Amino acid sequence: MTDDRPDPAHDDSPHILSAQGREGDEGADGDAASGGDDDFHAFWADVVADEIEARHPDDPIVIKGGVSPSGVAHLGNFNEIIRGYFVAEVLRERGHEVRQVFTSDDKDPLRKLPRKLANADGEIVGLGEVDAGALGRNLGKPYTSIPDPFGERESYAAHFAALLKADADRLGIPVEMVSNTELYADGAFDDVTRTVLSDLDGVREVLAQYQDKVDDEYVPFNPVCSECGKITETVTAIDLDAETVTYVCTDMDVGDNTIEGCGHEGTATFREGKLPWRLEWPGQWDVLGVDFEPFGKDHAEGSWPSGVDVARNVFGIEPPVPMVYEWFTLNGAPLSSSAGNIVTVPELLELLEPAVLRYFFALHPKKARDLDIERLDQLVDRFDRFERAYFGEVDDEDLTAFAERAYPFVVGRVDDPPTEPPVRLPYTFAAVLGMVDDPALRERLARDEGHIPSDASETVVEAALARVEKARNWAERTANEYDYRLQTDLPETDFDDDVAAALDDLADFVAAGHDGEAIQAEMYETAREHDIEVSEFFSAGYRLFFDDTQGPRLGEFLGELERDYVVARLRREA
């Protein structure tokens, strides 16, 4: 079929990637990661790796990301894992030992019920399909204290963490999941907590610049009530020698709602509570020895400046190298669990090869992008062009430079870069083949169109045709023009003589070797010559090929199929 859409090549121009990397893959405090032409890199991950190395870190270099397990583990939660991965792989290529960790902030309290969850396979479900009471009865409690509403893991937090780990495994990313609850329980936060509670005046002075609620009575530690299990924010006394606090279990305000405390007065150790987020985040840098952390632009304007201040003036450490990434939108709108505008990694991998998804995140992280499921073919086309550029098949010097550097990371073969280009079916053509159930016919059509070389091995053919099912899933998910099924056998038909004659004439036209666009135009002309309604003629064609009265742009579709097959079907012979 013809494609009159604009050439999307400019979207992945390395000028977007490397020029931004050169001009300022900047940290939030304004220090450029790279300067001068001598430091120019075609891949942004090299720019970040340079900045990390400039600090002369000890191995293993620690790269961190993190999330609070508050709802569906969707693609947005995966941002930091995959962006951190590219930097980790560059550093490993340079000979460094790297530890990539991802913290689950699972000692945070559940503040409200999520509208959606994801099961163990990453499929999104509503609360009506699980034990929602397991969540509703436990508002205000740490995520690790809340039962898994699916009844499979030891807690809701463990369920959520397992989803993210499974996503990382699907994309071949070796990430270590770290539980905040376990860090506290193991005593990893003991020294950090002691530092905070031993200098309350200093901590208050720092935090007061970023939080209105900080006053002379504010104690930045949240015990877990031993009576009801909820997080409380009211500490009445501190015993540094015993490493305990005295507390009262008071109400917690969450927006316009209140989570009621039980009023219990008790004592908790440093391991039986947690630090507030603005202290806990830089506390993680100290505890885990973090060297680099990517994060979304929401943190760049609030949490990061306070984190830098706390790191330097409370804990006496330097913050890690930062990288602020721009959020991507989904179908033109912000990702939102509450609005239902989310997609999970497993869902996307039903539609795309893993390398295509990795490519999406390999593009420069400071450029806003939209992941439009309806136009997923455009993303795949850009990936295919990027891949061809790596093998020297695209006359674009800048794109080729980017591809030569980034492609081995995108396909996960840094140590063993590919030497031969894989056979790729164009995504929309794969969707056309998805209308065909017969595997042999799929292969024959692909060979006839020249998309599979005559000498391709069985393994190569199988790998090429694997895209067909993904494109088929895309057609079904979006109910687009490819969401039809081509009939393998000739359907039963009974056409009037004039319609039958028009079909025979069209068969002669196709047999003469015309392309899909010409066939589309000829269908109108043939209908007029035989004095039949155009809609009736198209309906006859749809009946022959789909046993339906509607379908894709028929002429263009027929131009994609094997000519002899189309001619025989138009003549009602096979």
Side-chain angles (χ1 to χ4, degrees), residues 493-510:
T493 57
D494 183 17
F495 299 125
D496 293 340
D497 290 345
D498 51 354
V499 173
L503 289 170
D504 290 336
D505 285 354
L506 183 63
D508 294 339
F509 185 83
V510 173

Side-chain angles (χ1 to χ4, degrees), residues 116-119 125-135 148-151 159:
K116 300 284 186 179
L117 295 171
N119 64 23
V125 300
L127 291 184
E129 300 178 56
V130 300
D131 179 11
L135 298 174
D148 176 9
F150 293 90
H159 171 81

Side-chain angles (χ1 to χ4, degrees), residues 16-39:
I16 294 172
L17 300 160
S18 55
Q20 289 192 24
R22 175 167 50 186
E23 293 168 6
D25 197 16
E26 295 180 352
D29 56 0
D31 295 328
S34 179
D37 289 342
D38 291 342
D39 297 325

Side-chain angles (χ1 to χ4, degrees), residues 4 15 31 114 129 184 206 215 254 392 436 456 470 489:
D4 57 1
H15 282 305
D31 295 328
E129 300 178 56
Y184 280 105
V206 170
D215 55 25
V254 181
V436 178
K470 294 186 181 295
D489 299 321

Side-chain angles (χ1 to χ4, degrees), residues 260-284:
E260 295 183 355
C262 69
H264 175 70
E265 298 182 18
T267 300
T269 69
F270 290 176
R271 301 183 184 188
E272 295 170 337
K274 68 180 297 293
L275 296 170
W277 163 245
R278 287 187 186 273
L279 292 167
E280 189 172 75
W281 191 25
Q284 291 172 340

